[in-house]
Amino acid sequence: MTAIRATAPRTPLGRRFGLLMGALLLSSLGNGLCFPFTSIYISQLLGLGGRAAGGYFIAMAAASFAAALAGGPLADRGSPHRVGALGGAALAVGYALLAPAGSVALVLASGVCVGAGFGLFYASIVGIVDLAVPESGRRSAFAIRHIVNNAGIGLGSVAAGLALHGAATPVGALRWLYLANGLAALPLIAVTLGVRPRARPGHGPADHAAEPHIDAAGKGRGEEKPAEKPGAGPTYRTLLRARPMALLILAQALFAIVGFTQIEATVPLLMHDRMAVTLGWVSAVVAANSFALIALQPLLRRRLERLPETVSLAAGPVLWTGAFGCGLGAALAGEAAPAAVRYGLLLAFAVIFAAGELMYSSAFYPLLLRWSGEEAVGRASALASLAWNLGTASGPPIGLFVVANASATGSWLALALGAAAAFTVAAALHSRTTDA
C-alpha cells in the first residue's frame, strides 16, 4: 500500500497563473459561442452541404495531429510560450475565417488553421502552466485549468443561445459569433507571451534533474544528471517504450472515450430519448455537472493533495462507475417513481461524475510532467493531446451506437462497464509504479 501523504500547506498560485486562467476563460468562452453550431452553420446556413462540414472536421483533425507532433519538439527545444502563442494566433485566424466564409476552400482553410492552433496550443499548455506555478501547486493548478475550460465553454454556450434566440438571420448572428471567437483568442496570445518567466527560482533544470523520471525501461531514476541541450531529450518512441508513460497515454484515451465524451454526447441523448427526460431537465443535469466542478474543487483540494497521483487517477473512473450507477438507478426507477427520486439520482450522477473529473485533472498532468522530465514535456503533452483527440473522435460514435441499440438500463450499464475498463488501466499504472 502506498502511504498517504501529509497535507502540504496551501500554495499561492500567483499572479501569472491568474492572468493565464483569465485569458483561457475568455478563449474558452469564445469556443463555447460556436462549437455546437459549426456543422449546422457550414452545411445548412452557408448552404455548402454535409461534405463541406465533414471536410472541415477532417481538415481540423489532420492539422491538429500534424501540429501536435511538430509542436512537442518545438516546445522542448525552445520556449513553450512561443509555441502556445503561435497556436493561439492560428486559432484566432481560423475562427475569424469562418465569419466571412462562403466557399468550401475558405471553410477548409479555417479547419486547417483551427486544427493547427489546437495541436500547437495543447502541445505547449502543460509546460506553460507548469512554469507559471510553484511545483507544490501543480495539482491544484491543473484542476483549476480543467474547471476554467469547462466554465468558459458553458458560459459561451449560454451566451450563444441568448444571441441566437429569435434571431431573424441566424447565419448573420453566427458570423458575428465566429468573429467574436477569433477575437477572444487574442488576449490569450498576449498573456501567454507576457507570463513567460525570465528565470524560475527554485524550479530550474537543476531541480528537475533530481526528480524521479521514468526511463525507457519504465523504472524510476533519481540520480542527478548533467545538463542536456534543449530539445535533446527523449523522443516520442523513447517515451512510449516506458511502460508507465505508455499506460498513462492509454488511460488518457480511455478516459476521453468512456468518460468525458459520454457525458457531453451520449448521456443527454440517453436521458431524452430512452428515459423521456425533458430538455429542461437535460440542461439542468449538464449545468449541475459544471457547477459541481466549481463547488467541489475547494472542498476536495486538501483531500486530493493527500493522495498519490496514481491513486487519484484510478479513483476517477471508480467515481464515474458510481455515477453511471446512479443513472442506472434512475432508469430502473422509471417514470412511475417520484420525481424527487428519479431526478435526484440524475443530479447525483452529475455531481459524482464531476468529482471523478477533478480526480483526473489533479493527477494526470502532474504525472505527465514528472515522468517525462522537463526536457520532454512538450513531446509528452503532444502524445497526451493525440490520445485525447483519438478518444474524443471515437467516444461519441461508440456511445451513440450503444444508445441506439440498447435499452436505457442496458446503456447505463454499458457506460459503467466502460468506466470500469478505464479503472483497470489506471490500476495497472498504479501497480506498475509502486512495484518499480
Side-chain angles (χ1 to χ4, degrees):
M1 294 284 295
T2 303
I4 300 277
R5 296 179 179 177
T7 304
R10 178 166 293 190
T11 305
L13 297 179
R15 178 174 173 270
R16 286 186 299 161
F17 178 74
L19 287 171
L20 185 62
M21 290 301 102
L24 181 62
L25 177 65
L26 185 60
S27 178
S28 298
L29 192 152
N31 291 338
L33 291 174
C34 301
F35 87 90
F37 311 111
T38 299
S39 59
I40 300 172
Y41 174 70
I42 295 171
S43 64
Q44 297 181 14
L45 298 181
L46 295 182
L48 297 177
R51 288 187 178 182
Y56 171 86
F57 288 107
I58 291 171
M60 185 172 69
S64 179
F65 185 89
L69 287 178
L74 287 174
D76 292 334
R77 191 174 299 122
S79 168
H81 298 77
R82 295 192 185 98
V83 176
L86 183 61
L91 287 172
V93 171
Y95 283 121
L97 280 175
L98 273 181
S103 67
V104 174
L106 204 55
V107 165
L108 294 179
S110 169
V112 169
C113 288
V114 171
F118 278 123
L120 292 171
F121 187 75
Y122 285 111
S124 61
I125 187 61
V126 176
I128 293 170
V129 172
D130 184 46
L131 288 169
V133 299
E135 186 178 337
S136 57
R138 277 179 178 173
R139 298 190 68 175
S140 293
F142 284 107
I144 290 170
R145 179 210 159 206
H146 178 75
I147 294 169
V148 165
N149 188 58
N150 281 273
I153 290 175
L155 291 172
S157 298
V158 171
L162 293 174
L164 292 170
H165 181 67
T169 55
V171 65
L174 276 168
R175 289 188 190 277
W176 284 109
L177 291 180
Y178 279 107
L179 180 60
N181 192 5
L183 294 174
L186 296 180
L188 186 61
I189 302 170
V191 171
T192 297
L193 291 173
V195 300
R196 179 175 53 190
R198 296 177 182 175
R200 187 171 183 180
H203 197 82
D207 299 299
H208 276 280
E211 287 187 6
H213 304 305
I214 299 296
D215 62 20
K219 297 181 179 180
R221 50 184 171 87
E223 307 85 23
E224 292 194 4
K225 61 180 182 178
E228 297 180 1
K229 294 180 181 180
T235 64
Y236 287 118
R237 183 177 180 181
T238 304
L239 286 171
L240 289 175
R241 283 173 58 192
R243 178 61 67 85
M245 181 63 75
L247 285 172
L248 189 64
I249 298 302
L250 176 60
Q252 172 83 326
L254 280 176
F255 283 17
I257 292 171
V258 307
F260 292 100
T261 59
Q262 301 311 321
I263 192 172
E264 292 171 359
T266 304
V267 169
L269 182 67
L270 170 57
M271 288 190 292
H272 183 263
D273 286 9
R274 294 297 189 188
M275 298 174 64
V277 175
T278 64
L279 289 176
W281 268 105
V282 170
S283 299
V285 171
V286 174
N289 174 257
S290 298
F291 290 131
L293 280 171
I294 299 171
L296 289 175
Q297 198 277 332
L299 296 176
L300 295 179
R301 176 175 176 171
R302 290 183 179 273
R303 291 178 175 84
L304 289 174
E305 289 173 350
R306 294 192 189 106
L307 292 174
E309 287 95 336
T310 52
V311 173
S312 182
L313 193 71
V318 171
L319 287 169
W320 289 347
T321 303
F324 291 134
C326 290
L328 176 61
L332 290 172
E335 296 181 60
V341 172
R342 191 173 186 229
Y343 294 120
L345 284 169
L346 290 175
L347 292 174
F349 153 77
V351 173
I352 296 171
F353 195 96
E357 290 183 71
L358 289 174
M359 290 288 181
Y360 155 84
S361 61
S362 72
F364 179 83
Y365 288 106
L367 283 172
L368 190 79
L369 277 162
R370 190 163 70 248
W371 290 348
S372 66
E374 189 173 75
E375 70 279 5
V377 63
R379 292 174 178 86
S381 300
L383 288 174
S385 176
L386 294 174
W388 182 264
N389 289 339
L390 173 65
T392 55
S394 57
I398 293 171
L400 296 179
F401 175 82
V402 169
V403 172
N405 292 277
S407 64
T409 55
S411 297
W412 283 111
L413 183 59
L415 292 175
L417 290 174
F423 166 74
T424 62
V425 174
L429 178 64
H430 174 69
S431 175
R432 177 79 183 187
T433 54
T434 54
D435 291 343

